[in-house]
Amino acid sequence: MRTTAATHVTAILSGPQPVDGDSHLRTALSGLGVTVITADGPAATARAVASSSHSGKIALVDPRLAAHPHALRLALLDPRWEAAHAPGVLVVTGAARERLAAELRAIPDLTAHRVDGTSPAARLTAPKPLLADEFADLLRAQGIAVHETVLPTELVARLVAEPLSARKDVYAEIAAVDDEAIRLRRAVKGDDGLFTTYCVSPWTRYLARWAARRGWTPNLVTTLSLLVAVAGAAAAATGTRAGYICTAVALYFSFALDCTDGQLARYSLQFSRIGSWLDATFDRAKEYAVYAGLALGAARGGGHDHGVWLLAAAAMVLQTLRHHIDFAYHESLRGQPAAAKPVTAADAPRRSPGYWARKVVVLPIGERWALIAILTALTTPRVVFSVLLIWGVLAAAYTTAGRVRRSLAGNGSRTEEAVDALEAMCDLPLAIKVAAREPLAAKLGWLTPPTIQFIAYVVMLGLIVNDALLGAATFTMLAAVIYHHYDVVYRIRADAGQPPHWLSVALGGNLGRSVLLAALAVTIGSAQTLSLIVWLLAAYLAVLAVGESVRFWTRPAAPVLPD
């Protein structure tokens, strides 16, 4: 989730004043580019909320807060949440901001009639402390989703009013910890593979910081990663050893940039609605472009290209099915207690050799790209695809067997929303999807969508067998269909529902496309004519699927795709 511009934040200091004032906090907030306002009483705070830019965010901040600058950054500047709370901080925008303003206006305010001293009248007219923590609880009680920002344990974020010696001790504690080093470490995910952890992230985190200091956006880095991969695919298409070596180098740096964009987003808190979709979509486009480049290179190499397009398409299908098995399994658990979220490198415990061995066996993206790069530089495209297929099948068998075992051992219950998600992944006509709902609710019902897709993909792969003329056309058509299937999954993960009905009808669904292709293969005897028809069909599918997807994800009201 990447963004190109940060949302401005106005911090309203409202609450009990610490014994040494709020100068330390005010300085730290100003250093983050936050506008700081002091408000005394609910009426003044409501006016401050109303006068601030409606396109920005409002933060209620307790003046007693003593915190590291990066703790304040995490609490105030993360743009992903409509309402977020951390110790002493409540940040709101949109509907949550309007709700907060309404609550402030409803609080009786006798500040204008304040009486000095310690008399009962003075106590009655004294301004009521407006505590961020209390307002966070109030918004939650009214049904507003308030995200709880979990700050790194190494960082200080504490409310300290008095005595003065206690605040000085906290300031010394803050000064003793290098929060910039913590910020840099936490920019790196802690659940990456072996290759990414030891061969990429140790230096890309510094590249991410360099990019952040020069105003680069994660989306820019994502685009650069795509361009480098496409250049590598073009080098592979030359069919020369020098071209293959250039491809290997390009793959490494493309993947390094792919890691950098996420690290930059986490380092600089640049998250947006379009960024994660762009990152996920470009990941698929890069890998499949390289497959196409290698297949073209094999054809240019001369004499040994028979069946390479089939191998390239099979590798693309296998990786897609692995992803969709993973998606289907996790969607089958929708509505059930969530597993722990991925940790960052700063939180990750020390890993055992067995942990890394299991990571390598399942061939995550880092290991897969490293494998492709090494084999491309040293061998032939046929060897690259053959190894990918063999290792991919073993990895798929390993992960799927574990999930089957866990599913059989579970209670097998499925929520309606889980069945809806699995039904959408099947990409079948409405009447058939309705009839298929009961099998989807079974313990192993999550295997139904990838099984249907496997059958549909095999029908398309059948066009390539023993026919090099149809290879590139069928590969392109497969890529368009696979793009649509990923788009369906991304919408489900973002809780955005299914693609519009007209698109499902226009694309034909798995059943419609399979019947059409089988009929074409049987009735058309000329390979050249069939190739032309497949190219036209591929273009039709690509224009519809990609066009509708881009329209959906780039509109202002697009949902957020989870990482």
Side-chain angles (χ1 to χ4, degrees), residues 218-235:
N219 287 347
L220 172 60
V221 178
T222 301
T223 304
L224 290 176
S225 174
L226 174 67
L227 294 176
V228 172
V230 170

Side-chain angles (χ1 to χ4, degrees), residues 144-467:
I144 300 292
V146 181
H147 172 75
E148 191 66 29
T149 301
V150 180
L151 301 176
T153 55
E154 311 98 306
L155 297 181
V156 172
R158 198 176 307 155
L159 300 181
V160 185
E162 54 186 14
L164 183 57
S165 59
R167 291 188 64 82
K168 289 182 176 180
D169 290 342
V170 173
Y171 295 148
E173 188 178 345
I174 291 172
V177 176
D178 184 356
D179 72 335
E180 174 60 22
I182 295 171
R183 180 186 180 189
L184 194 60
R185 286 200 307 271
R186 290 182 65 85
V188 179
K189 290 194 297 185
D191 61 344
D192 280 328
L194 181 67
F195 178 77
T196 306
T197 299
Y198 290 104
C199 299
V200 179
S201 292
W203 66 272
T204 54
R205 68 183 73 184
Y206 297 102
L207 178 60
R209 181 169 66 181
W210 180 89
R213 291 175 175 176
R214 282 153 182 80
W216 288 27
T217 65
N219 287 347
L220 172 60
V221 178
T222 301
T223 304
L224 290 176
S225 174
L226 174 67
L227 294 176
V228 172
V230 170
T238 64
T240 64
R241 180 56 52 195
Y244 292 153
I245 293 174
C246 289
T247 299
V249 174
L251 286 178
Y252 175 76
F253 284 104
S254 176
F255 179 68
L257 289 171
D258 186 39
C259 295
T260 302
D261 64 1
Q263 293 165 5
L264 174 58
R266 288 183 288 274
Y267 179 85
S268 57
L269 296 181
Q270 295 188 74
F271 301 100
S272 74
R273 296 181 182 277
I274 192 175
S276 284
W277 169 77
L278 198 67
D279 187 37
T281 301
F282 280 9
D283 280 349
R284 305 287 79 77
K286 288 182 292 188
E287 191 162 355
Y288 301 157
V290 170
Y291 289 178
L294 288 170
L296 286 170
R300 283 198 171 190
H304 303 287
D305 60 310
H306 179 71
V308 173
W309 276 112
L310 178 60
L311 291 174
M316 180 169 65
V317 164
L318 175 60
Q319 188 55 42
T320 301
L321 289 173
R322 288 191 62 199
H323 281 151
H324 283 264
I325 289 171
D326 180 66
F327 294 147
Y329 174 74
H330 288 290
E331 287 302 326
S332 73
L333 304 177
R334 181 179 280 258
Q336 300 182 22
K341 293 183 178 180
V343 296
T344 63
D347 297 324
R350 295 184 65 85
R351 306 301 195 185
S352 66
Y355 169 85
W356 289 121
R358 290 190 295 273
K359 273 284 190 181
V360 171
V361 164
V362 300
L363 200 62
I365 185 170
E367 278 68 12
R368 191 167 68 253
W369 276 64
L371 180 67
I372 295 171
I374 293 171
L375 293 177
T376 297
L378 300 178
T379 65
T380 66
R382 182 181 297 277
V383 173
V384 174
F385 295 131
S386 298
V387 173
L388 277 177
L389 286 168
I390 294 170
W391 196 332
V393 167
L394 294 175
Y398 172 76
T399 55
T400 305
R403 286 167 179 162
V404 167
R405 177 175 50 82
R406 287 191 292 273
S407 296
L408 293 175
N411 58 22
S413 61
R414 295 279 181 271
T415 63
E416 281 297 313
E417 56 184 354
V419 176
D420 289 341
L422 295 175
E423 183 184 71
M425 288 183 64
C426 291
D427 191 17
L428 291 172
L430 181 61
I432 297 179
K433 284 196 292 186
V434 170
R437 283 186 67 85
E438 186 174 347
L440 294 173
K443 285 188 174 183
L444 298 181
W446 54 270
L447 286 172
T448 303
T451 300
I452 292 173
Q453 290 167 358
F454 170 74
I455 296 171
Y457 295 155
V458 166
V459 171
M460 285 186 272
L461 288 174
L463 294 175
I464 308 178
V465 176
N466 296 323
D467 198 340

Side-chain angles (χ1 to χ4, degrees), residues 437-506:
R437 283 186 67 85
E438 186 174 347
L440 294 173
K443 285 188 174 183
L444 298 181
W446 54 270
L447 286 172
T448 303
T451 300
I452 292 173
Q453 290 167 358
F454 170 74
I455 296 171
Y457 295 155
V458 166
V459 171
M460 285 186 272
L461 288 174
L463 294 175
I464 308 178
V465 176
N466 296 323
D467 198 340
L469 186 62
L470 286 167
T474 306
F475 183 94
T476 305
M477 182 176 60
L478 259 171
V481 172
I482 285 172
Y483 179 95
H484 173 62
H485 287 162
Y486 274 109
D487 187 57
V488 171
V489 170
Y490 294 156
R491 295 185 193 222
I492 294 170
R493 291 179 60 202
D495 294 322
Q498 302 181 23
H501 181 64
W502 70 263
L503 181 66
S504 301
V505 172

Side-chain angles (χ1 to χ4, degrees), residues 20-39:
D20 62 341
D22 57 24
S23 61
H24 287 83
L25 178 60
R26 185 180 292 270
T27 300
L29 291 172
S30 298
L32 297 175
V34 174
T35 300
V36 184
I37 300 174
T38 299

